């Protein structure tokens, strides 16, 4: 993969030798406690101590002070980044701080930078963490939304050289930095997919992207079109696609960590390239933004990119169903009864509850292909936004242990996930229909649960986690780790889940 940091070095600390344009210095409340601080002051100039006292250089958390240097070397500027109290700075804070630095590096068109890694460590943050978080945070912060402006003749300034300054003799610092970089790049790829308009990213184009990804990382790849879906009886995906002039696609990727295809984790993503609602049409304000209804697919594709780079010891199958949800003389309608791949029949009550339909067939296919665990990811319901806001992903599960492992992964990545209940009475309402086994829209009260619970009807007893990212998949304003638009939600958590399950595997076998 082409990195945005073309060259990364690790060097010892000799400030007089710094050859980059910018030096980044983490500044805790009492910077004199940072190892090597007096060397830095003698290099930079003793006025620094005065400026720290007057507050001209702020140590407040996330405050950035940019100052020029007086030496005539290559180094033009020092970015002092306030870290606040040394005791309370957490890894999540540091990731965000590096995100803001990434943004600043783009804004200032910096092409090479040194990071004084040792200045960031505390009780909670070891040098490896600082290396990892700097790559991940800066990498995510650098992201810019691709646009189609003809007037834009701005040349993108890309950071192409990073030097990590440390006195630590840890050999693996560079490796940690590179993993952070892989995670950031995967997130940014997912963001771009979410940001692409639906006339550009059709189901066929998404499948082309998936095929290339599979080739790059040597995944087994299978792609089903309309004819194959008809043959297999994927009535649920086909119903959603029925009103479209675009062909649907089912993308299947297999990452084989082991010879034997058992103990397989299935990652299933909703890939609706545009959701008009169909005949249960959305109001005009509800339509804008529905190009992002493939955020689940983007999350799975992003996670597969990380898996392809880091090669964990765990078999993984990715299944992504993609189509748009359109209106025409052929479109499916409320009152229709359809037969899914599983054989279960579904009464359509609302054509805007289309995500659960494509997920139903995808989950069944993942199981048929050997998945023993399933995580589905989808921009599934407006209900999750009402319940949890735009910064928390909603979850359902049928397996405490599996969910616990996933929660640990999300604590590591800093992506907030909150579980909602799925009770027998919820399931009863999903199964209530005079004419079919299930209905696709039991009501608006607590409907995040109905959306996920419907998918659960096809998962059956397989350990399962449902992730509703309707709120978290795109940001309505710029944030520390990126701009407004696609966020790449769950890319890092899915990959970290697989990483953790891979470690469990390795421990069992040793
Ligand atoms: N794609 C939408 C969910 C959505 C809403 C995503 C807002 C992002 C932002 C989904 O297909 C949908 O329309 N859900 C309906 C379900 C209802 C008809 C049962 C909803 O949430 O209103
Ligand atoms: Zn919908
Ligand atoms: Zn949708």
């Amino acid at each position: 993969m082409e990195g945005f940091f073309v060259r990364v070095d690790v060097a010892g600390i000799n400030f007089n030798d710094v050859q980059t344009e910018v030096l980044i210095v983490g500044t805790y409340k009492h910077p004199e406690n940072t190892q090597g601080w007096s060397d830095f002051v003698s290099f930079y100039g003793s006025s620094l101590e005065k400026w720290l006292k007057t507050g001209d250089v702020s140590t407040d958390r996330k405050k950035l002070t940019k100052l020029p240097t007086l030496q005539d070397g290559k180094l033009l500027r020092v970015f002092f980044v306030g870290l606040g109290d040394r005791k309370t700075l957490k890894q999540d804070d540091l990731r965000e701080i590096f995100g803001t630095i990434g943004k600043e590096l783009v804004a200032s068109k910096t092409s090479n930078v040194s990071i004084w890694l040792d200045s960031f460590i505390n009780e909670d943050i070891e040098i490896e963490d600082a290396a990892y978080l700097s790559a991940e945070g800066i990498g995510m912060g650098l992201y810019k939304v691709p646009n189609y402006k003809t007037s834009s003749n701005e040349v993108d300034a890309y950071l192409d050289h990073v030097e990590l300054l440390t006195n630590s003799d840890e050999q693996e610092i560079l490796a940690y930095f590179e993993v952070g970089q892989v995670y950031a790049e995967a997130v940014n790829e997912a963001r771009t997919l979410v940001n692409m308009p639906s006339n550009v990213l059709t189901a066929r184009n998404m499948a082309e992207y998936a095929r290339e990804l599979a080739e790059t990382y040597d995944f087994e790849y299978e792609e089903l079109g309309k004819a194959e879906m008809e043959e297999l009886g994927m009535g649920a995906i086909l119903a959603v696609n029925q009103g479209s002039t675009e062909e649907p696609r089912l993308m299947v990727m297999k990452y084989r960590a082991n010879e034997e295809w058992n103990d397989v984790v299935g990652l299933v993503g909703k890939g609706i390239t545009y959701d008009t609602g169909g005949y249960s049409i959305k109001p005009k304000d509800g339509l804008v933004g529905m190009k992002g209804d493939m955020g689940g697919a983007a999350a799975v594709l992003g996670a597969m990119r990380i898996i392809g780079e880091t090669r964990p010891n765990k078999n993984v199958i990715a299944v992504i169903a993609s189509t748009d949800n359109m209106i025409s003389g052929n479109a499916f309608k409320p009152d229709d009864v359809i037969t899914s791949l599983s054989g279960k029949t579904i009464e359509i009550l609302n054509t805007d509850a289309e995500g659960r339909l494509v997920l139903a067939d995808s989950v069944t296919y993942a199981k048929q292909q050997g998945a023993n665990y399933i995580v589905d990811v989808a921009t599934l319901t407006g209900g999750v936004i009402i319940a949890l806001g735009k910064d928390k992903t909603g979850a359902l599960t049928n397996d405490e242990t599996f969910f616990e492992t996933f929660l640990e992964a999300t604590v590591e990545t800093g992506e907030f996930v909150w579980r909602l209940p799925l009770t027998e009475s919820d399931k009863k309402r999903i199964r209530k229909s005079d004419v079919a086994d299930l209905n696709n829209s039991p009501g608006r009260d607590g409907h995040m649960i109905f959306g996920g619970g419907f998918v659960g009807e096809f998962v059956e007893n397989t350990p399962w986690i449902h992730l509703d990212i309707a709120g978290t998949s795109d940001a309505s304003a710029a944030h520390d780790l990126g701009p407004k638009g696609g966020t790449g939600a769950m890319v890092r958590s899915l990959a970290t889940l697989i990483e953790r399950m891979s470690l469990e595997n390795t421990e069992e076998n040793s």
Side-chain angles (χ1 to χ4, degrees), residues 92-365:
D92 289 350
D93 301 318
L94 189 55
R95 183 187 293 107
E96 289 182 355
I97 285 167
F98 277 117
T100 63
I101 292 172
K103 290 177 158 197
E104 191 55 43
L105 292 171
V106 186
S108 57
K109 296 200 184 337
T110 302
S111 64
N112 49 78
V113 64
S114 298
I115 306 170
W116 179 11
L117 270 193
D118 294 6
S119 66
F120 290 92
I121 60 181
N122 69 11
E123 301 270 284
D124 241 27
I125 300 164
E126 296 183 15
I127 192 77
E128 295 89 344
D129 303 321
Y132 176 85
L133 293 167
S134 63
E136 189 173 272
I138 291 178
M140 288 169 77
L142 289 176
Y143 180 74
K144 280 169 67 178
V145 179
N147 68 49
Y148 304 83
K149 291 177 195 282
T150 51
S151 61
S152 160
N153 53 12
E154 197 185 322
V155 182
D156 274 337
Y158 274 114
L159 195 58
D160 65 8
H161 181 200
V162 175
E163 196 147 84
L164 303 173
L165 306 183
T166 176
N167 275 326
S168 158
D169 51 12
E170 272 311 324
Q171 296 300 301
E172 284 167 358
I173 287 178
L174 192 59
Y176 275 88
F177 188 89
E178 281 166 355
V179 174
Q181 195 176 339
V182 164
Y183 271 65
E185 282 171 351
V187 165
N188 292 347
E189 285 274 321
R191 288 171 170 179
T192 291
L193 290 171
V194 170
N195 289 330
M196 281 163 91
S198 70
N199 59 331
V200 177
L201 187 70
T202 61
R204 273 183 301 176
N205 292 344
M206 199 192 300
E208 212 166 282
Y209 179 94
R211 192 185 318 122
E212 275 170 27
L213 188 80
E215 267 166 31
T216 307
Y217 296 112
D218 210 19
F219 301 145
E220 280 168 39
Y221 183 70
E222 186 192 17
E223 190 176 310
L224 310 182
K226 193 170 178 169
E228 291 86 0
M229 291 179 189
E230 276 163 355
E231 207 156 297
L232 290 169
M234 294 186 163
I237 299 177
L238 287 166
V240 177
N241 177 255
Q242 223 169 272
S244 180
T245 52
E246 288 283 339
E247 274 226 8
R249 283 291 181 273
L250 192 87
M251 300 150 235
V252 185
M253 274 179 245
K254 287 182 183 151
Y255 166 70
R256 270 180 205 273
N258 303 303
E259 282 295 305
E260 272 168 76
W261 188 242
N262 53 25
D263 203 22
V264 181
V265 187
L267 303 180
V268 177
K270 167 178 174 182
I272 298 294
T273 56
Y274 202 84
D275 183 10
T276 68
Y279 274 100
S280 311
I281 196 166
K282 289 182 183 294
K284 62 184 182 303
D285 293 338
L287 285 165
V288 179
M290 279 303 137
K291 66 174 183 179
D293 210 18
M294 31 54 70
V300 172
L301 289 166
M304 289 308 285
R305 181 175 291 277
I306 297 172
I307 289 163
E309 289 278 342
T310 59
R311 319 295 299 178
N313 181 21
K314 191 83 190 177
N315 290 328
V316 179
I317 181 170
V319 178
I320 294 167
S322 185
T323 172
D324 46 8
N325 182 23
M326 303 292 285
I327 290 180
S328 81
N330 299 321
F332 78 140
K333 303 169 292 300
D335 290 342
D336 285 0
V337 175
I338 63 174
T339 303
S340 65
L341 175 62
S342 70
K344 288 190 168 128
T345 55
I346 304 162
E347 178 185 12
I348 303 299
L349 294 179
N350 191 323
T351 60
D352 198 9
E354 85 298 341
R356 64 199 74 183
L357 297 174
V358 304
L359 288 171
D361 280 352
S362 303
V363 157
T364 303
Y365 197 70

